[in-house]
Amino acid sequence: MKLLVGKVSVLVVLVVAGSLTLDNYYRNKYGIDYPVAENVLASPEIDDKYEIVKLGSSHAQSGITFDRYNARALDLSGAGQELRYDLAFLKQYSKQIADGAVILITVTPISFSQRRSTREDGLQAIYYGRISPLFIPYLELGDYLQTQFVPFLRAGYLLREENSRLIEERLSEEKAGSYRDEAEREAARAAVGERPRLIADVLLGKGEEFESESAKAPPRANWYFSVTKIEAEMATSSAGPVDKLDESMHLMFAKWYNKEDFSPESFEQNRQDLERIIDYSLKHDWQPVVITIPISEVLEDGLADDYKQVYIYDNIAKADLQGVEYWDYSADGEFPKDKTKLFGNSDHLNEYGAAMFSYFLLRRLVDGGYLPEWVDGYDYSGVME
Amino acid sequence: MLFNSVGFLLFFGLVFSVYWKIPRKRQWVLLLVASYYFYASWKPAYLLLIVFSTVVNYVAALAMARDRTRKVVYLVGALAANFGLLFVFKYLNFFGYSLSYVLTAVGAPVALPEWKILLPVGISFYTFQTTAYVIDVFQGKIKPEKHLGYFALFVSFFPQLVAGPIERSKELLPQLKKSYRFDYQRAVSGLKLFGVGLFKKMVIADNLALVVNRVFGNLGEFKGLSLLVAVVLFSWQIYCDFSGYTDMARGVARMLGFFLVENFDRPYLATSIRDFWRRWHMSLSNWLKDYLYIPLSGSRKGIWRTGINYLIVFTLCGLWHGAAWHFVVWGAVHGAFISAERLVGQFSPWKIKVPRAVAVVYSYSLVCASWVLFRAETLGDAWYIYRNSLVGLTNLVNPGYVWASLSQVFVTNRLEMAVALFCLGAVVVEHWALGNQVWRQVLDRQKLVVRFVIYGVFLMLLVHLRDAKISEFIYFRF
């Protein structure tokens, strides 16, 4: 037996040496680097801990900005992120979150209905290196080891993938002259861009797919954070053209009513996940708050009249929130959701909308005693006392 | 867990290490526990099915031996349980759809319920294995196994549980009852066989699959030579996929001391469709011969009845492969080919000795043509391929046409083309030149360093030519 193990070990060493050489060639050729063995355990304790944490999906990603929050802020939101991954992130960073920190738990119109991902969906792969494998459901051990510890074993595959991608791009460019119109050209360009992404891109945060449309808007202007401007905007009654959000509304309607991905069958599981997040937060002496970020009136009008009641409020009512407050900014009167200029698409705030919404949220957190006044970093110049 | 997964490597590494350390009389216990764990790793609920099947067949066989007057009852009961399980989990919805379709066609539409039933892994294999066992006991060919543990291990033995080979009790049970010492040569032989299987599956089959799936997934874009190339590649893909898995199963078993039957004997060297089935999935074809063809009277009642028997056997063989009409038609087509060969052989006034090369090409061509039915998603897709695969073939003399067709199939990716050519070359060489085992003797005679270099290169090719795609999140919802 020892002889067999010994010989196999020699072969393994040979293969590792060869693979490292090939991997080095691949990385030098394409200028690629990828982190190795990150976040295998929960993140270690730090001195300057986080005082406010954002959880949730793309709604939270694009809808809340901590730019003018004078507090150490941690963004743990992500596109398509399920509630159970919110909890996984909390566990990952638990030692870095200060006592009394505010935990913003966002629930969207689809938080309770979205089908829990299975192993076959492959969702877990985007969390490798970001969350400890101990917290990831359906860990694929082989995939995890190959991306985190021995990525050089994929060098041959990655070389061929990159070669394929470059060929697709070249083909697309060669066809450029033969497109009938601009729409066809754009469609082809988009098709090339939709190639399966290298896991390296994911880990390095090169996430085109994970940016909502609002993130593609022009960078935030300082005046977004002017309270005077915010108050002036609130004082105007103009709603804005609805047609720019129409197409998005139809898309959302089709998606959110797709029973394969979203259905009441998932309500109970997701409620339990929400309860676990609250329970975990309270046990760590944090201050969780459950919020729903505004969605556009265009979308609300497109959904069934009782959609929010069934898909959000009934679930909130049934969940054991343990006294944690629920702030519904999608309710009438809470936010000017008829102002289409504040939305990048029908269910996501844009940069301007996010700055405004984050102001209202900040004031409520301060007025409610969750955060001290000095956290408010918005521009009050010109505001009448 | 699949044989080509990290999980299995860890699992088997542990089993292998412990197996040779524990008292030899307890080896079967470890194997049984490991087999149940292996099966439960797919889905724990599946264990109930295999345990049920084990108990039913164990009890039925013992009952047959004790009470010979009622052995028909016990046999029927066991068969009903075996095939009942198979029907419910594999064929219920298929027959439901088909019945619905027929009723609708005759003007009596009925909405039959669709059941959400997951197909338990390996059920087709262990059902046939246990069925063979009870029939052998019924016919007095073997004595029933009294030791429940050994019998349970026979049913669930993990190397061959999910994809065969289908073992006969008189071959496997005696082996399971023995205890084994570690044998270096046997372990190395098993490891090499496992490695070859891994290469066939992960390198050859998976790389050819990329091309095949591209064509079969977008059939409307391909015609002529492109379709033919895809069909030929598929013939080697399926061979390497299946035989590779069998090699892995046999290699794993051999490392533990067991010898499983050969399942493939260079099937594409067959000289007729009948010969093909003597070389392809041999454990299945032998099972069909012994438990279906011969009970149906085999070839004892004249040529026409023989032809009908072949049709029945191979139609059911097709159905066994999958619950869909294109599988059924695939099987029936093979039955028709074999029947036709027998008829021609019997009634043809000309007794011409066909050169072996011609016979091989004939057989391979027919097999490839029938693989279209096996691979296509629907009969409609298969018909599209048949109608369009010969389009433009007169242009074969034009290198430009050939290159354009290949470029379309491989999306002008010369690297992919080279990899596919390498894979094809490797498996063709294995088929034609290496089948006589001479190469193994040549390899074993080399110096240790040379052998290590060869094994190292082999492993490097295995690691870096495999499809190492990480299951990635498809941003489908938002």
Side-chain angles (χ1 to χ4, degrees):
Chain A
M1 177 90 88
K2 285 179 188 170
L3 182 60
L4 181 64
V5 171
K7 285 184 175 179
V8 169
S9 302
V10 169
L11 281 173
V12 167
V13 168
L14 285 175
V15 168
V16 166
S19 300
L20 283 168
T21 309
L22 186 63
D23 180 64
N24 194 48
Y25 167 74
Y26 161 69
R27 289 197 280 150
N28 285 331
K29 184 178 168 78
Y30 295 110
I32 287 175
D33 198 4
Y34 35 78
V36 172
E38 280 196 315
N39 293 320
V40 179
L41 300 174
S43 298
E45 190 155 3
I46 52 176
D47 291 330
D48 194 12
K49 295 190 181 182
Y50 296 103
E51 295 157 314
I52 183 164
V53 177
K54 174 171 70 163
L55 300 173
S57 62
S58 57
H59 287 204
Q61 241 186 345
S62 60
I64 301 176
T65 170
F66 292 135
D67 271 12
R68 295 304 172 95
Y69 285 49
N70 294 326
R72 276 270 282 165
L74 179 62
D75 181 0
L76 296 179
S77 61
Q81 191 161 292
E82 299 168 9
L83 286 165
R84 65 174 166 174
Y85 279 100
D86 285 340
L87 179 60
F89 269 115
L90 272 186
K91 290 179 179 175
Q92 177 68 29
Y93 288 93
S94 61
K95 292 182 192 165
Q96 300 190 348
I97 300 173
D99 286 350
V102 174
I103 310 295
L104 299 173
I105 308 168
T106 56
V107 293
T108 71
I110 47 172
S111 289
F112 294 108
S113 61
Q114 71 180 63
R115 174 178 62 80
R116 252 192 177 194
S117 58
T118 61
R119 184 184 299 277
E120 291 71 33
D121 291 323
L123 181 72
Q124 64 274 30
I126 66 167
Y127 295 101
Y128 294 162
R130 296 165 68 198
I131 306 178
S132 166
L134 302 172
F135 305 141
I136 297 177
Y138 302 128
L139 179 77
E140 286 286 345
L141 184 61
D143 291 352
Y144 182 77
L145 289 174
Q146 284 187 95
T147 55
Q148 297 302 303
F149 288 92
V150 288
F152 49 84
L153 291 183
R154 297 178 71 227
Y157 166 77
L158 293 173
L159 265 170
R160 285 179 291 142
E161 273 299 288
E162 192 63 21
N163 179 64
S164 298
R165 190 186 69 81
L166 292 171
I167 288 172
E168 279 174 41
E169 270 186 11
R170 178 174 53 78
L171 283 176
S172 173
E173 283 162 16
E174 282 172 2
K175 279 174 68 175
S178 64
Y179 293 131
R180 281 177 296 185
D181 53 35
E182 192 60 32
E184 193 172 303
R185 183 201 302 271
E186 283 305 312
R189 210 173 273 163
V192 170
E194 281 164 10
R195 68 179 174 91
R197 296 175 60 240
L198 295 175
I199 196 67
D201 288 352
V202 175
L203 297 177
L204 291 170
K206 292 176 190 172
E208 289 172 13
E209 294 92 307
F210 301 111
E211 293 173 6
S212 64
E213 285 190 27
S214 59
K216 292 178 191 167
R220 295 181 192 118
N222 281 332
W223 65 263
Y224 288 176
F225 302 96
S226 160
V227 176
T228 310
K229 296 285 186 191
I230 290 171
E231 288 177 347
E233 185 65 59
M234 291 296 289
T236 64
S237 59
S238 61
V242 301
D243 51 347
K244 77 165 193 164
L245 300 183
D246 247 0
E247 191 183 338
S248 166
M249 180 272 287
H250 290 299
L251 274 173
M252 291 307 114
F253 184 91
K255 278 184 183 172
W256 292 2
Y257 280 106
N258 176 354
K259 288 205 171 122
E260 281 192 15
D261 296 327
F262 304 98
S263 82
E265 288 177 6
S266 304
F267 281 174
E268 190 174 340
Q269 267 185 334
N270 286 313
R271 273 203 305 271
Q272 288 171 2
D273 287 336
L274 174 64
E275 289 170 355
R276 288 189 191 104
I277 295 172
I278 290 172
D279 193 58
Y280 189 81
S281 302
L282 292 173
K283 282 192 172 132
H284 282 76
D285 295 326
W286 301 328
Q287 300 183 88
V289 178
V290 181
I291 61 174
T292 294
I293 294 171
I295 59 173
S296 70
E297 195 170 70
V298 171
L299 178 55
E300 284 202 27
D301 289 344
L303 298 170
D305 289 343
D306 64 347
Y307 182 92
K308 287 204 302 183
Q309 185 62 46
V310 171
Y311 282 75
I312 306 177
Y313 306 139
D314 286 351
N315 286 291
I316 292 288
K318 286 179 186 169
D320 178 11
L321 300 186
Q322 297 190 53
V324 167
E325 290 191 86
Y326 169 56
W327 298 343
D328 178 20
Y329 284 95
S330 72
D332 293 344
E334 288 288 342
F335 188 82
K337 56 189 176 182
D338 59 329
K339 289 180 180 285
T340 55
K341 65 159 67 166
L342 300 177
F343 292 89
N345 58 32
S346 64
D347 65 321
H348 290 88
L349 291 166
N350 59 20
E351 297 284 350
Y352 183 28
M356 186 184 292
F357 168 68
S358 302
Y359 168 72
F360 295 132
L361 179 62
L362 175 57
R363 288 315 316 164
R364 196 163 178 180
L365 286 169
V366 169
D367 294 342
Y370 288 91
L371 292 171
E373 184 68 47
W374 54 261
V375 171
D376 187 347
Y378 275 72
D379 177 11
Y380 284 83
S381 54
V383 172
M384 303 283 282
E385 288 291 335
Chain B
M1 60 185 100
L2 296 170
F3 284 166
N4 54 325
S5 67
V6 168
F8 179 78
L9 289 179
L10 293 174
F11 161 80
F12 183 67
L14 180 64
V15 169
F16 183 76
S17 311
V18 176
Y19 182 74
W20 299 115
K21 299 285 182 212
I22 59 176
R24 281 181 277 147
K25 286 191 175 170
R26 295 284 170 256
Q27 285 173 329
W28 71 268
V29 178
L30 171 69
L31 289 180
L32 181 61
V33 170
S35 297
Y36 280 163
Y37 175 81
F38 177 82
Y39 199 58
S41 70
W42 297 91
K43 198 174 180 66
Y46 290 168
L47 261 184
L48 294 172
L49 296 176
I50 202 169
V51 169
F52 172 77
S53 185
T54 301
V55 170
V56 163
N57 287 279
Y58 171 76
V59 168
L62 285 177
M64 276 191 263
R66 272 195 221 113
D67 184 0
R68 291 175 199 275
T69 57
R70 301 177 73 174
K71 63 179 191 172
V72 172
V73 173
Y74 296 127
L75 176 68
V76 169
L79 293 181
N82 291 344
F83 289 105
L85 268 185
L86 192 61
F87 178 81
V88 166
F89 284 93
K90 192 169 179 178
Y91 298 110
L92 186 61
N93 282 328
F94 169 66
F95 279 99
Y97 298 146
S98 305
L99 187 60
S100 249
Y101 184 84
V102 167
L103 289 173
T104 304
V106 300
V110 171
L112 291 172
E114 182 186 335
W115 303 93
K116 281 187 183 174
I117 303 174
L118 281 178
L119 177 64
V121 172
I123 191 170
S124 304
F125 290 91
Y126 70 73
T127 295
F128 270 33
Q129 199 154 296
T130 50
T131 298
Y133 168 75
V134 288
I135 293 177
D136 284 348
V137 171
F138 175 82
Q139 291 176 336
K141 289 181 183 172
I142 56 168
K143 289 199 171 112
E145 176 55 53
K146 290 182 183 169
H147 193 293
L148 178 58
Y150 288 138
F151 184 71
L153 182 57
F154 163 70
V155 176
S156 64
F157 188 45
F158 74 88
Q160 44 96 226
L161 176 58
V162 297
I166 301 169
E167 288 287 333
R168 302 297 177 91
S169 54
K170 68 176 186 213
E171 300 295 336
L172 185 57
L173 262 173
Q175 292 190 64
L176 296 176
K177 292 181 187 181
K178 281 192 210 163
S179 39
Y180 297 90
R181 287 179 188 280
F182 178 77
D183 181 303
Y184 175 78
Q185 292 300 335
R186 193 177 52 218
V188 167
S189 165
L191 187 59
K192 284 179 185 173
L193 188 55
F194 182 82
V196 167
L198 210 56
F199 191 91
K200 277 186 187 174
K201 169 79 183 90
M202 291 178 73
V203 176
I204 302 176
D206 287 354
N207 276 300
L208 294 182
L210 292 175
V211 183
V212 170
N213 292 344
R214 181 185 301 138
V215 174
F216 277 81
N218 298 285
L219 279 177
E221 294 177 19
F222 298 92
K223 281 188 178 174
L225 184 61
S226 308
L227 289 176
L228 287 180
V229 166
V231 171
V232 167
L233 291 182
F234 177 71
S235 72
W236 292 102
Q237 176 205 332
I238 192 169
Y239 166 69
C240 288
D241 202 292
F242 201 174
S243 70
Y245 215 83
T246 301
D247 286 344
M248 285 192 268
R250 294 179 65 234
V252 163
R254 195 176 295 180
M255 290 175 74
L256 297 171
F258 305 100
F259 284 84
L260 302 181
V261 294
E262 291 261 13
N263 223 5
F264 294 88
D265 179 18
R266 296 173 297 159
Y268 294 142
L269 288 182
T271 52
S272 66
I273 301 302
R274 205 164 151 219
D275 188 32
F276 172 78
W277 282 98
R278 286 195 212 106
R279 295 165 175 264
W280 177 275
H281 202 173
M282 297 188 289
S283 63
L284 174 67
S285 51
N286 285 331
W287 192 100
L288 291 171
K289 182 188 76 180
D290 292 341
Y291 300 105
L292 197 54
Y293 177 70
I294 288 175
L296 282 174
S297 76
S299 56
R300 298 190 301 275
K301 293 199 173 169
I303 190 68
W304 296 105
R305 178 61 185 265
T306 302
I308 291 169
N309 290 341
Y310 275 129
L311 268 174
I312 294 171
V313 167
F314 280 94
T315 302
L316 291 174
C317 172
L319 187 63
W320 180 90
H321 278 81
W325 283 109
H326 61 101
F327 288 121
V328 176
V329 174
W330 168 79
V333 161
H334 272 264
F337 283 153
I338 295 176
S339 302
E341 283 174 0
R342 288 293 296 259
L343 282 169
V344 167
Q346 177 118 346
F347 294 117
S348 170
W350 307 287
K351 301 294 178 194
I352 302 169
K353 192 164 166 49
V354 176
R356 185 180 164 77
V358 173
V360 167
V361 169
Y362 149 80
S363 169
Y364 179 70
S365 303
L366 282 187
V367 167
C368 274
S370 67
W371 279 138
V372 171
L373 288 160
F374 195 90
R375 176 59 180 83
E377 304 279 329
T378 63
L379 289 173
D381 283 353
W383 181 236
Y384 172 88
I385 296 172
Y386 289 136
R387 269 189 300 120
N388 291 284
S389 53
L390 299 180
V391 166
L393 273 198
T394 50
N395 294 322
L396 268 180
V397 295
N398 181 352
Y401 169 77
V402 174
W403 182 247
S405 299
L406 291 175
S407 295
Q408 187 190 19
V409 169
F410 291 97
V411 200
T412 73
N413 189 332
R414 294 184 191 195
L415 181 57
E416 189 181 272
M417 215 182 288
V419 169
L421 200 63
F422 166 77
C423 290
L424 205 55
V427 71
V428 167
V429 166
E430 182 259 359
H431 227 60
W432 259 267
L434 306 185
N436 59 9
Q437 307 296 310
V438 165
W439 68 275
R440 288 213 173 96
Q441 294 162 11
V442 169
L443 184 62
D444 288 342
R445 280 202 294 267
Q446 303 307 310
K447 289 183 181 166
L448 185 65
V449 170
V450 172
R451 278 188 281 132
F452 262 76
V453 168
I454 292 171
Y455 296 146
V457 168
F458 177 83
L459 278 178
M460 277 291 289
L461 289 173
L462 174 64
V463 168
H464 292 289
L465 284 184
R466 68 195 166 106
D467 180 5
K469 181 175 179 180
I470 301 295
S471 318
E472 290 186 345
F473 173 47
I474 301 171
Y475 191 58
F476 60 92
R477 303 189 212 165
F478 302 100

